[in-house]
Amino acid sequence: MASRKLLLLPGDGIGPEAMAEVRKIIAYFNADLGLDFELDEGLVGGSAYDAHGKAISEEDMGKALAADAVLFGAVGGPKWDSVAYDVRPEAGLLRLRKDMALFANLRPAICYPALAASSSLKPEVVEGLDILIVRELTGGVYFGEPKEIIDLGNSQKRGIDTQIYDTFEIERIAGVAFELARARGNKVTSMEKRNVMKSGVLWNEVVTATHKARYSDVQLDHMLADAGGMQLVRWPKQFDVIVTDNLFGDMLSDVAAMLTGSLGMLPSASLGAPDAKTGARKALYEPVHGSAPDISGKGIANPIAMIASLAMCLRYSFNLIAEADRLEAAISGVLDDGLRTADIWSQGSTKIGTTEMGDAILGKFKALSA
Ligand code: NAD
Ligand code: IPM
Ligand code: MN
């Protein structure tokens, strides 16, 4: 690969603060490791709305489609609470996912050993936790039509969202989950609500059929999504890979985040299908958290979710496995050293800000590279 084209979309709130730490790490990759990342930047979310009146410009959308990978910060915030629905900050992220056809969202929840005490759950419940939520990302109620508010008269309105899943959408996300499970604990738990939703009935049928046809060597369990949420906080180590739809995946991954200590710890990868000729796949990497308006501008946001998203990018888009492993080891090492941003701070550890955390991880990465 001659050069590696990366588009950075920092976004709003703590997005740019976390992205600044990633930029430092990439600068080191280029200057000292000769990794040859070609960086470009664009606007997304509220910052794009302020500049162009929409949540992502056509030009930046074009750059995203042309890049080898996109690194995304976070979007949204109270400043844009009343802007029109179609141009609200979150619409920029949804457009990226849809137009780049990023149907597979991988959200690993790993409890780093040093953080077992930072979770709101008992340490023995989360110690050693390593689960992967595979969230379907381009279908379901996020995109189904009709999606509207209609006026019924007599001061009554009706809000409508539509949950739709077709066989091929369920089949391909199930395939991703089974493949990933084979490379780790070999177990998939599929979550839906077949007891009330027709799309849940189909989900269950298609996952079962996909398993039977191609993946019968992997253990498959089914769980109703509400019970799955309960099991995630009761005994999360029973899970290996969870596969679920767009909305349940959104909610369950925020729940899973707290098993790791903080929403500021969870990275994600959003992947498209491999190109038939080259095998390359479109990809966007982003933390699971949002723009955190309550802490933005204070220099206290945890950049680990963003930095761990860069590690996923190294692994999945560029096959830089050793570098990805080393970056994750650097994160773990800094936590072992007792350094913590405020969200994961606990008695006896040292509280540091966003920049210091980025510097500490880069310092550790350099030491591991020497
Ligand atoms: P949020 O994830 O922004 O924040 C939830 C809580 O977690 C807050 O208390 C916040 O301070 C804390 N938190 C989140 N990330 C943190 C980090 N890195 N370090 C320390 N603490 C962190 O969710 P919200 O408050 O419900 O949403 C705020 C805005 O973000 C909304 O506009 C929402 O739509 C948007 N949002 C965007 C994304 C995204 O861009 N991918 C994801 C979720 C929410
Ligand atoms: C996430 C976010 C997004 C989602 C929003 C910002 C559109 O919550 O990535 O988890 O709901 O998918
Ligand atoms: Mn979410």
Side-chain angles (χ1 to χ4, degrees):
M1 191 179 281
S3 77
R4 304 175 168 93
K5 278 164 74 177
L6 259 185
L7 176 68
L8 308 190
L9 296 173
D12 311 318
I14 64 167
E17 298 172 40
M19 193 65 85
E21 302 316 307
V22 154
R23 229 183 261 118
K24 287 192 234 172
I25 297 172
I26 296 171
Y28 172 75
F29 287 166
N30 281 350
D32 290 74
L33 302 186
L35 285 184
D36 208 9
F37 282 104
E38 196 186 310
L39 287 188
D40 200 353
E41 295 230 7
L43 296 174
V44 69
S47 58
Y49 175 81
D50 289 346
H52 313 293
K54 54 201 288 199
I56 185 161
S57 67
E58 295 314 309
E59 189 191 343
D60 285 341
M61 196 58 232
K63 285 185 190 174
L65 287 165
D68 292 318
V70 177
L71 292 177
F72 181 100
V75 291
K79 181 179 175 196
W80 303 283
D81 269 353
S82 50
V83 307
Y85 184 84
D86 290 348
V87 290
R88 74 202 187 287
E90 292 78 1
L93 177 56
L94 296 179
R95 166 129 192 245
L96 282 160
R97 289 174 181 170
K98 195 66 172 175
D99 288 9
M100 293 172 75
L102 306 172
F103 70 95
N105 185 211
L106 280 40
R107 298 189 157 190
I110 292 166
C111 183
Y112 284 94
L115 289 192
S118 301
S119 170
S120 49
L121 300 187
K122 293 184 199 123
E124 63 267 29
V125 176
V126 294
E127 245 159 22
L129 180 78
D130 179 356
I131 63 174
L132 175 67
I133 296 183
V134 177
R135 170 190 179 193
E136 199 293 323
L137 202 60
T138 48
V141 75
Y142 273 64
F143 295 101
E145 296 285 348
K147 187 181 210 32
E148 58 185 334
I149 297 177
I150 50 178
D151 204 331
L152 301 173
N154 296 328
S155 23
Q156 286 297 304
K157 291 182 182 176
R158 178 173 294 156
I160 305 175
D161 293 284
T162 308
Q163 166 93 345
I164 301 177
Y165 272 110
D166 290 352
T167 302
F168 79 95
E169 293 176 291
I170 305 169
E171 225 163 49
R172 69 182 176 183
I173 195 69
V176 169
F178 286 124
E179 294 285 347
L180 289 166
R182 274 184 182 158
R184 32 180 300 144
N186 212 39
K187 183 173 152 183
V188 170
T189 308
S190 168
M191 296 191 188
E192 30 60 15
K193 271 188 69 77
R194 63 186 178 281
N195 50 348
V196 286
M197 297 167 78
K198 286 289 188 184
S199 59
V201 173
L202 184 68
W203 184 280
N204 183 278
E205 267 176 35
V206 175
V207 172
T208 304
T210 307
H211 175 250
K212 194 170 167 210
R214 289 156 50 205
Y215 299 102
S216 54
D217 54 305
V218 181
Q219 184 185 331
L220 171 65
D221 298 307
H222 299 277
M223 230 177 237
L224 296 174
D226 51 349
M230 178 275 288
Q231 291 293 350
L232 259 181
V233 291
R234 191 186 72 83
W235 190 245
K237 284 185 261 186
Q238 71 187 279
F239 297 113
D240 177 30
V241 175
I242 293 173
V243 63
T244 190
D245 77 10
N246 205 339
L247 183 61
F248 292 142
D250 181 41
M251 298 185 59
L252 294 171
S253 56
D254 266 33
V255 172
M258 284 319 295
L259 308 172
T260 72
S262 165
L263 203 41
M265 294 298 298
L266 237 66
S268 86
S270 305
L271 307 175
D275 181 271
K277 283 202 194 107
T278 64
R281 58 201 321 176
K282 298 222 179 303
L284 178 149
Y285 301 86
E286 56 163 324
V288 169
H289 65 72
S291 58
D294 53 340
I295 58 164
S296 100
K298 297 184 178 161
I300 59 170
N302 186 349
I304 291 180
M306 186 76 244
I307 294 172
S309 299
L310 171 64
M312 292 188 86
C313 173
L314 299 176
R315 177 171 292 118
Y316 290 106
S317 282
F318 300 112
N319 204 27
L320 294 167
I321 310 297
E323 288 78 1
D325 286 348
R326 224 183 300 150
L327 190 52
E328 283 161 359
I331 294 171
S332 190
V334 163
L335 296 172
D336 287 341
D337 291 345
L339 302 178
R340 306 273 193 278
T341 43
D343 55 313
I344 47 175
W345 183 82
S346 60
Q347 207 71 42
S349 60
T350 309
K351 197 184 285 181
I352 56 173
T354 311
T355 312
E356 292 83 359
M357 181 56 92
D359 289 344
I361 292 170
L362 179 54
K364 193 64 95 179
F365 183 87
K366 286 181 184 172
L368 292 171
S369 307

